[in-house]
Amino acid sequence: MLIAYGVISYIRTSKSFIKIVREHYAVKVKKNLGGLFLKGFLLNFVNFGVLAGWIGTIIMANALTTSENGVFLFLLTVLVVFFLTDLIKISLAKKLKNRMTPRFIIRTKKWVSILIVGFGVLLLIEGIFPSQVQKGLDRIPKVNPTFEQAE
């Protein structure tokens, strides 16, 4: 599936150059940030994957913490890290906005498509020849992580 997706994505990227140029030079319209926040919140609220992720996080918090307020502190820490990560992503997106030319976007999409095909081929090879892949991995020298004490 990865190979097919990568090939289709590469072909579509090659054909969509005019569309990307048109979007790049389109007139920018100011958007209502409150409406966008509400839309994003509601989309994540009804998303089963988000719900399952938070249920898993709460289960992990119960398993990893032993103090009385441990679950609350764990969840608070996760939310703060998510918020800070989002702020960093927003600032980086603003800095990269000027460098996102149509040519750069096309080149990046093509490279990502090639990487997806490459990972698909690697997974296919591992699925078809698991014993040969394991033999190759066994030939990699093992490193002993324990430090020997100086004599």
Side-chain angles (χ1 to χ4, degrees):
M1 287 180 65
L2 284 177
I3 296 170
Y5 179 78
V7 169
I8 291 169
S9 177
Y10 188 86
I11 292 169
R12 284 189 179 173
T13 299
S14 299
K15 292 181 179 178
S16 67
F17 182 73
I18 294 172
K19 180 182 174 188
I20 291 173
V21 169
R22 194 176 303 137
E23 289 174 1
H24 182 73
Y25 292 109
V27 176
K28 305 295 180 202
V29 177
K30 292 278 185 180
K31 297 189 178 185
N32 180 7
L33 294 180
L36 286 175
F37 174 79
L38 184 63
K39 181 179 176 182
F41 179 79
L42 292 175
L43 282 173
N44 281 310
F45 186 74
V46 298
N47 187 347
F48 178 74
V50 174
L51 176 65
W54 280 110
I55 290 172
T57 304
I58 292 170
I59 291 170
M60 281 180 34
N62 280 324
L64 295 175
T65 60
T66 55
S67 66
E68 186 176 318
N69 294 327
V71 174
F72 175 74
L73 290 174
F74 187 89
L75 292 176
L76 183 68
T77 304
V78 169
L79 284 172
V80 167
V81 169
F82 277 170
F83 183 72
L84 292 176
T85 303
D86 283 345
L87 288 178
I88 291 169
K89 290 187 322 188
I90 290 168
S91 67
L92 287 175
K94 284 185 178 183
K95 288 181 182 178
L96 289 175
K97 186 177 181 181
N98 295 334
R99 296 182 184 191
M100 296 300 287
T101 62
R103 187 173 308 274
F104 180 77
I105 293 170
I106 291 286
R107 236 185 265 147
T108 304
K109 284 186 170 190
K110 284 185 176 184
W111 276 107
V112 168
S113 300
I114 292 169
L115 283 173
I116 289 172
V117 170
F119 282 118
V121 168
L122 286 174
L123 289 172
L124 186 65
I125 289 171
E126 188 174 343
I128 294 174
F129 307 110
S131 58
Q132 284 83 1
V133 172
Q134 188 59 43
K135 285 179 187 175
L137 291 174
D138 290 340
R139 279 191 263 159
I140 297 173
K142 305 273 190 258
V143 177
N144 190 356
T146 60
F147 297 104
E148 296 181 21
Q149 294 180 352
E151 296 177 21

